[in-house]
Amino acid sequence: IILKWMTHHRARVFPGAARVCDFDDDLRDGTVLYGLLVSHWPNLSQFSQDMKFVPETREDIVANHEVVLDMLRYVQLSYDDVTADELACSSPSERLLFCLFLYNHLPQLVPRTVVDFPTLLGQKVVKNIELTNPAMAPISYSVRLEGNPDFTVEATTVRMEKRSSAQLTVSCTPTSSLPERCRLILAAVKEESQVNGSTLVFDLNPVVKSSEPIRKIDFKAKCYEYTEQIIELQNPYPGDCEFGIVCTNYTADEVEAMAAAKEAEQMELHSAAYTGRTPRTSRRSQKSIRELMGKPPDPALGKIDPSLYPDPFGVDRRSVRLKKGEKVKLRVSFLPFIMGPHTAHLSFEDHRFGKFVYELTGGAEHPQPMSEHKAEVDIKPQMSNIVVSFLNNPLELAKRTFLEKHPLAKVKEQADRIRKAEPWPQSVVYALEVVSSHMEIFGKPRLPLVKTPRAGKKTVTTGADGQKVEQFISGENTVSLNLNLRNAGVYPGKLVLKSQFDVRIVDLEYRCGLTGDAAQLEFECAAGQSITQNIPLVNSGMKPMSVTANFAGQREYFAGYGRDMIVDGKKKADFPLTFRPARPGTFLAKLVLKTGGESISYALKGVANEPLAQGHVVIDADARGRTRHRFTVPNVFGAEREAAYEVSSDLNFVGGDPRCVVRPNATSTYDMGVAPTCSGVFHGGITFTAPDGSFCWWTLEVRVAPPLVEDTLDLTVPVREALTTQITLANPSDQPATFRIYREGHGVLGADTMRIPAKSEKTYDLVYSPMLTGPTEGSVRFVSAQLGEFWYALRLDALDASAAVVPEMVSEVGGARGSTTLDIENPLDEEILVAPSCPDNPRNFIVAPPSVTVPPFGVGKFRVTYAPSSLNQLETGTIVATNEAAGTWTWSVSGRGAEPTKLPATDIFVTLGQTGSGSVSFQNPFHDPIYVDVAIETDEDAGVWEDILKKRQGVHVDGFQVVPIPFKFSPRAMTRHEATMVITTKSAGDTLTWRYPLIGIAEAVPKGDHFRIEGKARRRCEMGLEVFLHGLKVDVPIEHYTFEVVVPESEKHHLRKALVIKPLMASLTPKTRSLRFAVAFRPKRAVSCSIDFLVNKQSGGRWRFPIHLEAIEPEIDGTVVVEANVNEKAEAVFSLANPDPEACAFTAYFTPDSPAEFSVKPNVGTMLPGKSPETPLKPGADRGVAVETADGGPGVDLRIRYRPKEYGGDRVGKLVVTTKENTWVFEVMGTTPEYNVPVATTKLNTRIDPSVDEALKVAQRRRRPGTIVRENLRAENYTSRRLLSKTPGHEITPKDLMDTTRSQFN
């Protein structure tokens, strides 16, 4: 069976290998044993580089067996103290026993189960692995992880009492989308366990959901509107990557289908958890997904087929190469052709680390209006007809923009959706919707929009009374609206048209009851420029028509045709109106157009902005030098009059003539002088201003080069020393001069300013104190507004500092070590990190800690320990500490080895009547191998102490090798047992002796006594504890004792303050059988753990008592009420004080049974330190209970968000905030505001006021049919009073005005 087992596992590692037939020749070279281990533990293949798979000599065979033993130690399996030489020379029967040992223990290395850790990239997931001890004795395991470093475990050891269980917390934070598995190994600790437990192995499988997004980016735009957004991509993986970038767009149906599939999958998983069936997609969910994916657009609802248009999202790059932690900016484009939400996934995939996804979401609102409909109407209910064009201009513009700018235009399939799109039908049905409370669609909300519509026509019919009735029949592509206009004003609205091809918007504006000028024209341009607006004139009569224009107000800034304008019969003409401002300002005027006996007036408003610069002038100059520049100055008045300018500039080093005169319709030259005193780039302008405020100007950019160097100074000094050089400056002027000093160069210091009195000299102290060695260059510049700029070049050279000599240290060879403390002074005003080391002799001089943080201008300390490797010989080394900014420190250290004296004791605790083993770690302190003799000296009875070395004389120990020397201890009485392990060797003719004290303590046999302490967090619980000392024997009248508590590492800091045990008996007497203690348990948070209470007798002996601590969650600390409307988010903020005087990390979360409408921010962070150093206590109502009442300090501000999704009752959740020391619980109540039904009275008045009725009759009598200009500007013919928009690119053209004019001149 064993041979077949070895053959099977060998073939898994070495395919095609021969069968294992015996335990002699087939196992001699060690390769079969190597295959056995690698087959059970694949990670052991890393030892293959040390294996000789075709051994040629006996040394190769011994080396192979040494590798096999190293592999067994790696997986914590030991086979007595067998050596590689003994294993290689063993007999077949001994090899059979060794293989039987492997047959019994290697299956333990096979993982018992696979534990999945589903999560996202970079997101931490935590799982608890439950362990059970079915034995009747405690058992301990050592915990370690092997493989993927993304896994971490909180505890390094796990101890379970008899017939109990424990949970091991394992967390995973994946750094790769293709992570490797990890193995969790729990090896039984024989020294602590009373039963021989087997090794437990679990396979940890990180399942990274690489298809789910780790980041969401929102876009907002109107339909048919192109937007761009720059997103920052950071390499999240632990290595350099070359990402392939893919942008996948999803339709609304696909997003809905994926959400339905995910929901169905979750339902199946929950069902499988209860029934045990394998999760699968149900037929019902499959059918719904197919229906969602294949649902055709509904023309009646105006739903657009997504395949008609290109995808909205695109990215400008297809691949990018990033180093670890490097960032890059990507440009993402968004151009939606369909209204509503849009979703895309931006995938980044690397062949080594896998992929991750960003989710792009965008909302497309109503598009820009394709046209505007504005009209002047009467104050009454009426009907309005709107003609809609078949061509959708915003859509056509979006198509052109896509082909010009969108990244997907380079994809042939996407671009062909526009270039090779099938033509629309000749008629398309649109669903109509009007956005206004004063307008509604007349008839059915449908409009067949045809490509070549029939025009409307007038019909004349005869009524019942014989009168002729004229009617207008609307043509095709016309929408009829009912207008309910009851008051004067402006009524805006929108007409929305939706089809299965596109969406259209028509802006509506109806003005009624507004009096005054027929129109208001607004102009805006820069001073010195002009802008023209054409007013259309239409003569529908047969005779020529004469139109006269008159201006009033600030007429000099407006100009018209210049004379009477003649419009021939049946012709159209444009009246040019020009705004030409000569200076900035706002100008008002009125234009009156007259023809025959009628006239129409226009209110004119012109806004003139600052004039544009004539140009940008760049001038190159030298500091403390002079240059000139000539300008050609125009006349801002043209040929009208002469321009006498005042010249000014905002640069203080330019000058020239203060006046400049330019004749009419001519130009003039102006010379400007430039005399800068300092170097640099200066920006400003020069302005020529006329008496009336009109001006012209130029922008100036003066690039001033530094002057010639005054002198070159050579400065040389060792690092961290200072050298002062004095520079003398003179002030020859009559006024004091202030210099600003600019220094460049490492280690160059000095004052920033210096003031020199008039007609005097002063020296400047320039200090050179470098931190880094080597030659560099620098400079020092002196800049004064009065005297100019002067500078000196610096040649800097920093030499190495001499090493500081440390007094000689003395250490025992193999014993107590001498050490010294060295200081590092920080010369900088910032914190530095220094890494001290001994590069030339790290064996003898050990530096700790490996890094030192030194505060600004502070002192850092580290310790150097001397570990001698020779006796009475001087050993030296050099300590080096380096920081990039502060430089290098050097110390010269030395030491001498002395004979060993006092060595540390080795303690061992063994249950009375049993045998335990321990070891003394002996290290050869010399370079060369030594041979040692080992013996144990004791006054105890025979059999209490025993060394278990097979060879006690001449034990070979290599240089600097650490050898464990084992021994056995068998206590026979509850007392203290002492012995000495003596290790001797001869070195250079002298005998060296190391004496290691051994102290053995007998531990009482456990009697199954267990204690339990229960309480509630933030409550004080007091109780008495009595422990019986079984087997206690006191031979003296009074004997002292000590006690200690062994707690888990994770709870040590908390229980140090939460658990207080005080003895009630001072000592032990011959009559003592038990001890009593007072226990105070005051946990600040919930806790559940087991501890060991140990009692030690002074003369020897120890008793162990397990105690289980259990503290449940505290009571509710308060209630927080948040009120919010349905589908609206509300937030409540409250401050939580920190009762501890130190800052601490916290975690805030809602319990799983809380509603999903609640969330808390921040959920993790740091609490600011509190004010009170201690927490006062106040006795509670119950006996033995205390309640904390400390106010604490600043703490943290928590924001609770509540967003209800439906109406109903109040929602109640539980918020928990935990720190390392405390736990708070709050009840959070979410409510919705109470709705009050409005109460209003209805009243309808159908009578017209008599004064209004009389005014209407007067207005009707005044109206005459011959008003030509006024009829030309009626509401249905003139679309707006604002003929000129302030936005560039939206001016109304003369053709637009002419097309909208339908009146006639008679």
Side-chain angles (χ1 to χ4, degrees), residues 719-720 746 770-773 799-803 824 827 834-835 878-891:
V719 293
R720 289 188 300 280
H746 170 68
M771 302 296 164
L772 306 178
T773 60
L799 306 178
D800 291 330
S802 58
I824 300 177
V834 182
T878 303
I879 306 298
V880 179
T882 304
N883 179 268
E884 292 184 359
T888 302
W889 291 262
T890 307
W891 294 268

PDB file of all heavy atoms in Angstrom, residues 719-720 746 770-773 799-803 824 827 834-835 878-891:
ATOM      1  N   VAL A 719      30.272  69.068   5.870  1.00  0.00           N
ATOM      2  CA  VAL A 719      28.822  69.048   6.091  1.00  0.00           C
ATOM      3  C   VAL A 719      28.521  69.269   7.563  1.00  0.00           C
ATOM      4  O   VAL A 719      29.297  68.894   8.447  1.00  0.00           O
ATOM      5  CB  VAL A 719      28.210  67.709   5.603  1.00  0.00           C
ATOM      6  CG1 VAL A 719      28.308  67.588   4.109  1.00  0.00           C
ATOM      7  CG2 VAL A 719      28.859  66.531   6.290  1.00  0.00           C
ATOM      8  N   ARG A 720      27.347  69.921   7.800  1.00  0.00           N
ATOM      9  CA  ARG A 720      26.837  70.267   9.137  1.00  0.00           C
ATOM     10  C   ARG A 720      27.746  71.222   9.894  1.00  0.00           C
ATOM     11  O   ARG A 720      27.652  71.340  11.104  1.00  0.00           O
ATOM     12  CB  ARG A 720      26.541  69.004   9.965  1.00  0.00           C
ATOM     13  CG  ARG A 720      25.344  68.235   9.479  1.00  0.00           C
ATOM     14  CD  ARG A 720      24.978  67.124  10.437  1.00  0.00           C
ATOM     15  NE  ARG A 720      26.051  66.162  10.605  1.00  0.00           N
ATOM     16  CZ  ARG A 720      26.332  65.192   9.753  1.00  0.00           C
ATOM     17  NH1 ARG A 720      25.602  65.066   8.659  1.00  0.00           N
ATOM     18  NH2 ARG A 720      27.319  64.341   9.962  1.00  0.00           N
ATOM     19  N   HIS A 746      22.020  74.618  -2.359  1.00  0.00           N
ATOM     20  CA  HIS A 746      21.834  73.813  -1.157  1.00  0.00           C
ATOM     21  C   HIS A 746      22.703  74.338  -0.014  1.00  0.00           C
ATOM     22  O   HIS A 746      23.907  74.539  -0.164  1.00  0.00           O
ATOM     23  CB  HIS A 746      22.190  72.357  -1.447  1.00  0.00           C
ATOM     24  CG  HIS A 746      22.262  71.508  -0.219  1.00  0.00           C
ATOM     25  ND1 HIS A 746      21.146  71.194   0.538  1.00  0.00           N
ATOM     26  CD2 HIS A 746      23.317  70.921   0.403  1.00  0.00           C
ATOM     27  CE1 HIS A 746      21.506  70.457   1.556  1.00  0.00           C
ATOM     28  NE2 HIS A 746      22.822  70.267   1.501  1.00  0.00           N
ATOM     29  N   PRO A 770      26.071  73.176   4.496  1.00  0.00           N
ATOM     30  CA  PRO A 770      25.457  72.096   3.709  1.00  0.00           C
ATOM     31  C   PRO A 770      25.147  70.874   4.563  1.00  0.00           C
ATOM     32  O   PRO A 770      25.737  70.657   5.620  1.00  0.00           O
ATOM     33  CB  PRO A 770      26.531  71.782   2.667  1.00  0.00           C
ATOM     34  CG  PRO A 770      27.813  72.116   3.367  1.00  0.00           C
ATOM     35  CD  PRO A 770      27.516  73.292   4.275  1.00  0.00           C
ATOM     36  N   MET A 771      24.208  70.104   4.063  1.00  0.00           N
ATOM     37  CA  MET A 771      23.856  68.824   4.670  1.00  0.00           C
ATOM     38  C   MET A 771      24.311  67.652   3.825  1.00  0.00           C
ATOM     39  O   MET A 771      24.543  66.561   4.354  1.00  0.00           O
ATOM     40  CB  MET A 771      22.326  68.734   4.869  1.00  0.00           C
ATOM     41  CG  MET A 771      21.760  69.845   5.715  1.00  0.00           C
ATOM     42  SD  MET A 771      22.398  69.788   7.385  1.00  0.00           S
ATOM     43  CE  MET A 771      21.950  71.438   7.943  1.00  0.00           C
ATOM     44  N   LEU A 772      24.428  67.840   2.522  1.00  0.00           N
ATOM     45  CA  LEU A 772      24.799  66.770   1.608  1.00  0.00           C
ATOM     46  C   LEU A 772      26.168  67.072   1.025  1.00  0.00           C
ATOM     47  O   LEU A 772      26.485  68.222   0.699  1.00  0.00           O
ATOM     48  CB  LEU A 772      23.760  66.639   0.482  1.00  0.00           C
ATOM     49  CG  LEU A 772      22.309  66.457   0.928  1.00  0.00           C
ATOM     50  CD1 LEU A 772      21.381  66.382  -0.278  1.00  0.00           C
ATOM     51  CD2 LEU A 772      22.168  65.195   1.770  1.00  0.00           C
ATOM     52  N   THR A 773      26.969  66.023   0.862  1.00  0.00           N
ATOM     53  CA  THR A 773      28.325  66.185   0.341  1.00  0.00           C
ATOM     54  C   THR A 773      28.305  66.343  -1.171  1.00  0.00           C
ATOM     55  O   THR A 773      27.358  65.930  -1.851  1.00  0.00           O
ATOM     56  CB  THR A 773      29.178  64.974   0.733  1.00  0.00           C
ATOM     57  OG1 THR A 773      28.571  63.794   0.168  1.00  0.00           O
ATOM     58  CG2 THR A 773      29.284  64.834   2.221  1.00  0.00           C
ATOM     59  N   LEU A 799      32.326  69.037   1.972  1.00  0.00           N
ATOM     60  CA  LEU A 799      33.222  67.927   2.240  1.00  0.00           C
ATOM     61  C   LEU A 799      32.599  66.961   3.244  1.00  0.00           C
ATOM     62  O   LEU A 799      31.677  67.315   3.994  1.00  0.00           O
ATOM     63  CB  LEU A 799      34.555  68.460   2.793  1.00  0.00           C
ATOM     64  CG  LEU A 799      35.269  69.523   1.941  1.00  0.00           C
ATOM     65  CD1 LEU A 799      36.540  69.972   2.633  1.00  0.00           C
ATOM     66  CD2 LEU A 799      35.569  69.001   0.535  1.00  0.00           C
ATOM     67  N   ASP A 800      33.111  65.716   3.258  1.00  0.00           N
ATOM     68  CA  ASP A 800      32.626  64.727   4.225  1.00  0.00           C
ATOM     69  C   ASP A 800      33.030  65.130   5.638  1.00  0.00           C
ATOM     70  O   ASP A 800      34.164  65.567   5.883  1.00  0.00           O
ATOM     71  CB  ASP A 800      33.209  63.352   3.917  1.00  0.00           C
ATOM     72  CG  ASP A 800      32.649  62.785   2.623  1.00  0.00           C
ATOM     73  OD1 ASP A 800      31.507  63.126   2.303  1.00  0.00           O
ATOM     74  OD2 ASP A 800      33.364  62.030   1.933  1.00  0.00           O
ATOM     75  N   ALA A 801      32.093  64.944   6.593  1.00  0.00           N
ATOM     76  CA  ALA A 801      32.396  65.230   7.991  1.00  0.00           C
ATOM     77  C   ALA A 801      33.184  64.073   8.605  1.00  0.00           C
ATOM     78  O   ALA A 801      33.022  62.909   8.215  1.00  0.00           O
ATOM     79  CB  ALA A 801      31.104  65.462   8.779  1.00  0.00           C
ATOM     80  N   SER A 802      34.050  64.377   9.541  1.00  0.00           N
ATOM     81  CA  SER A 802      34.840  63.345  10.204  1.00  0.00           C
ATOM     82  C   SER A 802      33.948  62.518  11.126  1.00  0.00           C
ATOM     83  O   SER A 802      32.975  63.012  11.693  1.00  0.00           O
ATOM     84  CB  SER A 802      35.976  63.979  11.012  1.00  0.00           C
ATOM     85  OG  SER A 802      35.441  64.890  11.970  1.00  0.00           O
ATOM     86  N   ALA A 803      34.272  61.238  11.250  1.00  0.00           N
ATOM     87  CA  ALA A 803      33.467  60.329  12.062  1.00  0.00           C
ATOM     88  C   ALA A 803      33.691  60.596  13.553  1.00  0.00           C
ATOM     89  O   ALA A 803      34.820  60.846  13.994  1.00  0.00           O
ATOM     90  CB  ALA A 803      33.814  58.877  11.744  1.00  0.00           C
ATOM     91  N   ILE A 824      21.142  61.722  17.192  1.00  0.00           N
ATOM     92  CA  ILE A 824      21.098  62.355  15.864  1.00  0.00           C
ATOM     93  C   ILE A 824      20.376  63.683  16.033  1.00  0.00           C
ATOM     94  O   ILE A 824      19.206  63.717  16.413  1.00  0.00           O
ATOM     95  CB  ILE A 824      20.371  61.477  14.834  1.00  0.00           C
ATOM     96  CG1 ILE A 824      21.067  60.130  14.689  1.00  0.00           C
ATOM     97  CG2 ILE A 824      20.295  62.179  13.488  1.00  0.00           C
ATOM     98  CD1 ILE A 824      20.358  59.171  13.747  1.00  0.00           C
ATOM     99  N   PRO A 827      18.962  69.218  11.990  1.00  0.00           N
ATOM    100  CA  PRO A 827      19.178  70.660  11.774  1.00  0.00           C
ATOM    101  C   PRO A 827      18.090  71.321  10.946  1.00  0.00           C
ATOM    102  O   PRO A 827      18.180  72.514  10.663  1.00  0.00           O
ATOM    103  CB  PRO A 827      20.520  70.678  11.019  1.00  0.00           C
ATOM    104  CG  PRO A 827      20.512  69.413  10.229  1.00  0.00           C
ATOM    105  CD  PRO A 827      19.767  68.406  11.049  1.00  0.00           C
ATOM    106  N   VAL A 834      15.534  58.716   9.511  1.00  0.00           N
ATOM    107  CA  VAL A 834      16.930  58.305   9.348  1.00  0.00           C
ATOM    108  C   VAL A 834      17.006  56.799   9.572  1.00  0.00           C
ATOM    109  O   VAL A 834      16.372  56.253  10.487  1.00  0.00           O
ATOM    110  CB  VAL A 834      17.837  59.054  10.346  1.00  0.00           C
ATOM    111  CG1 VAL A 834      19.290  58.649  10.144  1.00  0.00           C
ATOM    112  CG2 VAL A 834      17.684  60.553  10.180  1.00  0.00           C
ATOM    113  N   ALA A 835      17.796  56.116   8.718  1.00  0.00           N
ATOM    114  CA  ALA A 835      17.976  54.668   8.824  1.00  0.00           C
ATOM    115  C   ALA A 835      19.424  54.370   9.187  1.00  0.00           C
ATOM    116  O   ALA A 835      20.291  54.300   8.309  1.00  0.00           O
ATOM    117  CB  ALA A 835      17.590  53.984   7.524  1.00  0.00           C
ATOM    118  N   THR A 878      31.857  50.877  11.578  1.00  0.00           N
ATOM    119  CA  THR A 878      31.440  52.255  11.291  1.00  0.00           C
ATOM    120  C   THR A 878      29.924  52.308  11.215  1.00  0.00           C
ATOM    121  O   THR A 878      29.304  51.545  10.449  1.00  0.00           O
ATOM    122  CB  THR A 878      32.037  52.756   9.965  1.00  0.00           C
ATOM    123  OG1 THR A 878      33.461  52.658  10.028  1.00  0.00           O
ATOM    124  CG2 THR A 878      31.640  54.206   9.716  1.00  0.00           C
ATOM    125  N   ILE A 879      29.323  53.174  12.018  1.00  0.00           N
ATOM    126  CA  ILE A 879      27.869  53.378  12.016  1.00  0.00           C
ATOM    127  C   ILE A 879      27.558  54.548  11.093  1.00  0.00           C
ATOM    128  O   ILE A 879      28.144  55.637  11.232  1.00  0.00           O
ATOM    129  CB  ILE A 879      27.324  53.650  13.429  1.00  0.00           C
ATOM    130  CG1 ILE A 879      27.766  52.536  14.380  1.00  0.00           C
ATOM    131  CG2 ILE A 879      25.809  53.771  13.406  1.00  0.00           C
ATOM    132  CD1 ILE A 879      27.242  51.167  14.015  1.00  0.00           C
ATOM    133  N   VAL A 880      26.638  54.338  10.152  1.00  0.00           N
ATOM    134  CA  VAL A 880      26.264  55.366   9.168  1.00  0.00           C
ATOM    135  C   VAL A 880      24.760  55.576   9.245  1.00  0.00           C
ATOM    136  O   VAL A 880      23.979  54.607   9.238  1.00  0.00           O
ATOM    137  CB  VAL A 880      26.686  54.959   7.740  1.00  0.00           C
ATOM    138  CG1 VAL A 880      26.251  56.029   6.747  1.00  0.00           C
ATOM    139  CG2 VAL A 880      28.189  54.745   7.667  1.00  0.00           C
ATOM    140  N   ALA A 881      24.327  56.824   9.335  1.00  0.00           N
ATOM    141  CA  ALA A 881      22.902  57.199   9.305  1.00  0.00           C
ATOM    142  C   ALA A 881      22.728  58.264   8.234  1.00  0.00           C
ATOM    143  O   ALA A 881      23.444  59.264   8.228  1.00  0.00           O
ATOM    144  CB  ALA A 881      22.445  57.720  10.668  1.00  0.00           C
ATOM    145  N   THR A 882      21.763  58.041   7.320  1.00  0.00           N
ATOM    146  CA  THR A 882      21.622  58.906   6.138  1.00  0.00           C
ATOM    147  C   THR A 882      20.179  59.354   5.979  1.00  0.00           C
ATOM    148  O   THR A 882      19.236  58.596   6.225  1.00  0.00           O
ATOM    149  CB  THR A 882      22.072  58.157   4.875  1.00  0.00           C
ATOM    150  OG1 THR A 882      23.409  57.704   5.049  1.00  0.00           O
ATOM    151  CG2 THR A 882      22.020  59.065   3.650  1.00  0.00           C
ATOM    152  N   ASN A 883      20.038  60.612   5.567  1.00  0.00           N
ATOM    153  CA  ASN A 883      18.755  61.172   5.157  1.00  0.00           C
ATOM    154  C   ASN A 883      18.994  62.047   3.936  1.00  0.00           C
ATOM    155  O   ASN A 883      19.985  62.781   3.875  1.00  0.00           O
ATOM    156  CB  ASN A 883      18.117  61.988   6.293  1.00  0.00           C
ATOM    157  CG  ASN A 883      16.788  62.607   5.883  1.00  0.00           C
ATOM    158  OD1 ASN A 883      16.758  63.740   5.413  1.00  0.00           O
ATOM    159  ND2 ASN A 883      15.711  61.880   6.046  1.00  0.00           N
ATOM    160  N   GLU A 884      18.095  61.965   2.944  1.00  0.00           N
ATOM    161  CA  GLU A 884      18.315  62.689   1.696  1.00  0.00           C
ATOM    162  C   GLU A 884      18.408  64.189   1.915  1.00  0.00           C
ATOM    163  O   GLU A 884      19.177  64.875   1.242  1.00  0.00           O
ATOM    164  CB  GLU A 884      17.179  62.380   0.704  1.00  0.00           C
ATOM    165  CG  GLU A 884      17.182  60.944   0.210  1.00  0.00           C
ATOM    166  CD  GLU A 884      16.109  60.722  -0.844  1.00  0.00           C
ATOM    167  OE1 GLU A 884      15.389  61.689  -1.148  1.00  0.00           O
ATOM    168  OE2 GLU A 884      16.004  59.589  -1.344  1.00  0.00           O
ATOM    169  N   ALA A 885      17.633  64.716   2.847  1.00  0.00           N
ATOM    170  CA  ALA A 885      17.607  66.166   3.042  1.00  0.00           C
ATOM    171  C   ALA A 885      18.634  66.623   4.078  1.00  0.00           C
ATOM    172  O   ALA A 885      19.233  67.700   3.929  1.00  0.00           O
ATOM    173  CB  ALA A 885      16.209  66.624   3.458  1.00  0.00           C
ATOM    174  N   ALA A 886      18.853  65.831   5.126  1.00  0.00           N
ATOM    175  CA  ALA A 886      19.706  66.271   6.224  1.00  0.00           C
ATOM    176  C   ALA A 886      21.143  65.780   6.100  1.00  0.00           C
ATOM    177  O   ALA A 886      22.006  66.224   6.845  1.00  0.00           O
ATOM    178  CB  ALA A 886      19.121  65.807   7.561  1.00  0.00           C
ATOM    179  N   GLY A 887      21.448  64.849   5.211  1.00  0.00           N
ATOM    180  CA  GLY A 887      22.814  64.418   5.009  1.00  0.00           C
ATOM    181  C   GLY A 887      23.131  63.119   5.728  1.00  0.00           C
ATOM    182  O   GLY A 887      22.253  62.296   6.008  1.00  0.00           O
ATOM    183  N   THR A 888      24.432  62.931   6.041  1.00  0.00           N
ATOM    184  CA  THR A 888      24.935  61.671   6.583  1.00  0.00           C
ATOM    185  C   THR A 888      25.692  61.918   7.888  1.00  0.00           C
ATOM    186  O   THR A 888      26.484  62.863   7.983  1.00  0.00           O
ATOM    187  CB  THR A 888      25.857  60.978   5.562  1.00  0.00           C
ATOM    188  OG1 THR A 888      25.132  60.766   4.347  1.00  0.00           O
ATOM    189  CG2 THR A 888      26.355  59.644   6.089  1.00  0.00           C
ATOM    190  N   TRP A 889      25.451  61.051   8.895  1.00  0.00           N
ATOM    191  CA  TRP A 889      26.187  61.048  10.164  1.00  0.00           C
ATOM    192  C   TRP A 889      27.038  59.772  10.219  1.00  0.00           C
ATOM    193  O   TRP A 889      26.599  58.692   9.795  1.00  0.00           O
ATOM    194  CB  TRP A 889      25.239  61.067  11.355  1.00  0.00           C
ATOM    195  CG  TRP A 889      24.474  62.327  11.540  1.00  0.00           C
ATOM    196  CD1 TRP A 889      24.748  63.366  12.368  1.00  0.00           C
ATOM    197  CD2 TRP A 889      23.246  62.684  10.870  1.00  0.00           C
ATOM    198  NE1 TRP A 889      23.800  64.348  12.262  1.00  0.00           N
ATOM    199  CE2 TRP A 889      22.866  63.957  11.356  1.00  0.00           C
ATOM    200  CE3 TRP A 889      22.461  62.072   9.908  1.00  0.00           C
ATOM    201  CZ2 TRP A 889      21.728  64.599  10.914  1.00  0.00           C
ATOM    202  CZ3 TRP A 889      21.330  62.708   9.456  1.00  0.00           C
ATOM    203  CH2 TRP A 889      20.973  63.973   9.961  1.00  0.00           C
ATOM    204  N   THR A 890      28.252  59.883  10.789  1.00  0.00           N
ATOM    205  CA  THR A 890      29.167  58.746  10.850  1.00  0.00           C
ATOM    206  C   THR A 890      29.766  58.651  12.252  1.00  0.00           C
ATOM    207  O   THR A 890      30.171  59.673  12.838  1.00  0.00           O
ATOM    208  CB  THR A 890      30.293  58.887   9.811  1.00  0.00           C
ATOM    209  OG1 THR A 890      29.711  59.115   8.523  1.00  0.00           O
ATOM    210  CG2 THR A 890      31.140  57.633   9.757  1.00  0.00           C
ATOM    211  N   TRP A 891      29.813  57.414  12.800  1.00  0.00           N
ATOM    212  CA  TRP A 891      30.434  57.147  14.090  1.00  0.00           C
ATOM    213  C   TRP A 891      31.409  55.977  13.942  1.00  0.00           C
ATOM    214  O   TRP A 891      31.113  55.002  13.207  1.00  0.00           O
ATOM    215  CB  TRP A 891      29.399  56.782  15.155  1.00  0.00           C
ATOM    216  CG  TRP A 891      28.458  57.882  15.521  1.00  0.00           C
ATOM    217  CD1 TRP A 891      28.579  58.792  16.508  1.00  0.00           C
ATOM    218  CD2 TRP A 891      27.202  58.162  14.877  1.00  0.00           C
ATOM    219  NE1 TRP A 891      27.499  59.636  16.541  1.00  0.00           N
ATOM    220  CE2 TRP A 891      26.633  59.267  15.547  1.00  0.00           C
ATOM    221  CE3 TRP A 891      26.510  57.605  13.809  1.00  0.00           C
ATOM    222  CZ2 TRP A 891      25.419  59.809  15.184  1.00  0.00           C
ATOM    223  CZ3 TRP A 891      25.306  58.147  13.440  1.00  0.00           C
ATOM    224  CH2 TRP A 891      24.774  59.246  14.133  1.00  0.00           C
TER     225      TRP A 891
END
